[in-house]
Amino acid sequence: MNKKGLIAFLLTLSLFGCAKKKEPVEKVLVSVGNSKLTIEMVTRDVPEYLQPMISREQIKNHIQQWIEKELIYQAATKIGLDLEPDYRYELQKAKKDILVRKYLDQYLLSAENDITDEEALKYYEDHRQDFVVSETEMHALHILVTNQADAEKARKKILSGADFEEVAREYSIDYADKKRIELDFFTKTDVVPEIARRLFSYESGVITPPIRSLFGYHIFKILEVRKPGSYKKYEDVQHKIKNRIRSGKQKQQYRDLIGELRQKIIVKKDDKFLQEIFTDTTMLKIQKK
C-alpha cells in the first residue's frame, strides 16, 4: 500500500468520519490549540514499508500519542522552555545531525544496489577461510505440539509420506503462532540443552522422534548437518557477503567524501591547546581557563 492507498484507508475509517472521494489531502484529523494533525502528516510519520500492515488500533494510538506530545509541547513553550540556551543548543545539534544523515543517505546511496552476484562470489572464493564452520550446525524443519500423543500422530503421518508443511499446519502451535517451520542453521548453543543433547546426535534426512522440552514436544526433519572444518555454502552466506561488501564500499565512499570536503573547506586546529587537553587527566582544568 502506497501513501495514497493509506490515505484512502484512513478516510474510510469511521474514526475519521464520513469522507468523500475528492476529500482534500489536508483533511484535519485532530487539532490541539492551533496545531493540526492531517492525513498527510500521518502518512509521513508511518514508514512506507509498514503501511501495508497498519491497523485501525495503531492509527488511533498514533493519534493519541500526537495529542499528548502536542499538549506537553505547548505547555513547555508557554513557560518559555524554548527560549533557554540549553534548548537552543540541543536544537542546533539535532538540526546538524538530521542534515548530516540526509546528506550521507544521498551521497552513499549509490552503494545500495551495485553489488553483483559475480562480485559476491569472487569475495566468497577469495575469503573462504571466513566461512569455515567452527562448530556443528544444523538446518532443519520443525513442528511443536503440546502433548506426546499429537507428536506421535504428526510424526507417523510424515513417515507415511505426508508433506511436512501440511502436517505442521495441522498440528504445530509454532506454525499457528509464527507461521514458522524452517529453522535456519543453528548450533547446540542456540537451542535448549534438553533438545541439543538428542537432536545433534542425528544425521541429515532423519525425522526425529518427539523430543520433550519446557515448550512442548518437538519433531525435527534434519535437512543438513555441517561439521566443523567444512565450508558454508555460498548460497547460505551471499546476503551477508553483499552486506559486507556494501559496508566496505560505503566506508570508502565516506573517506573519499571527507577528503573531498577537506579540500574545499578550511579546517583549522589549535594543536598546542589540543596537546594540552590530551595530556590533562581531567577536563576540570580546561573548564577553569
Side-chain angles (χ1 to χ4, degrees), residues 111-261:
E112 286 295 322
N113 301 308
D114 61 351
I115 313 300
T116 65
D117 289 334
E118 291 76 13
E119 191 175 3
L121 184 58
K122 184 178 185 306
Y123 184 97
Y124 174 77
E125 295 296 341
D126 292 343
H127 300 82
R128 283 181 65 84
Q129 290 304 314
D130 292 351
F131 307 105
V132 175
V133 177
S134 58
E135 58 180 315
T136 303
E137 298 178 343
M138 184 174 288
H139 182 202
L141 302 180
H142 174 242
I143 288 175
L144 172 63
V145 298
T146 56
N147 59 78
Q148 186 172 4
D150 283 345
E152 296 289 358
K153 289 178 185 177
R155 182 171 186 265
K156 186 176 181 180
K157 283 190 175 185
I158 296 167
L159 293 174
S160 298
D163 180 73
F164 193 96
E165 182 170 352
E166 290 302 317
V167 176
R169 286 177 185 271
E170 182 179 356
Y171 287 94
S172 182
I173 57 176
D174 206 31
Y175 183 87
D177 291 342
K178 304 174 184 177
K179 299 293 187 289
R180 184 175 66 174
I181 298 174
E182 186 171 354
L183 305 177
D184 202 359
F185 279 96
F186 57 92
T187 66
K188 287 184 178 181
T189 57
D190 294 323
V191 294
V192 294
E194 58 264 36
I195 292 179
R197 282 193 296 269
R198 294 185 58 188
L199 183 59
F200 278 80
S201 65
Y202 297 110
E203 298 296 332
S204 298
V206 172
I207 309 295
T208 69
I211 301 175
R212 186 179 181 181
S213 78
L214 292 174
F215 304 100
Y217 291 82
H218 307 258
I219 301 170
F220 295 90
K221 179 178 180 179
I222 302 174
L223 301 178
E224 184 181 352
V225 177
R226 292 198 294 219
K227 300 292 186 181
S230 62
Y231 291 96
K232 298 177 182 180
K233 295 178 182 177
Y234 168 73
E235 293 77 13
D236 296 331
V237 295
Q238 60 177 321
H239 182 69
K240 182 182 295 185
I241 289 174
K242 288 185 177 182
N243 285 339
R244 188 179 296 182
I245 296 174
R246 182 176 297 113
S247 176
K249 285 191 172 186
Q250 288 178 336
K251 287 178 181 177
Q252 184 59 52
Q253 282 184 318
Y254 181 82
R255 289 191 290 268
D256 293 343
L257 170 63
I258 297 301
E260 292 173 12
L261 293 177

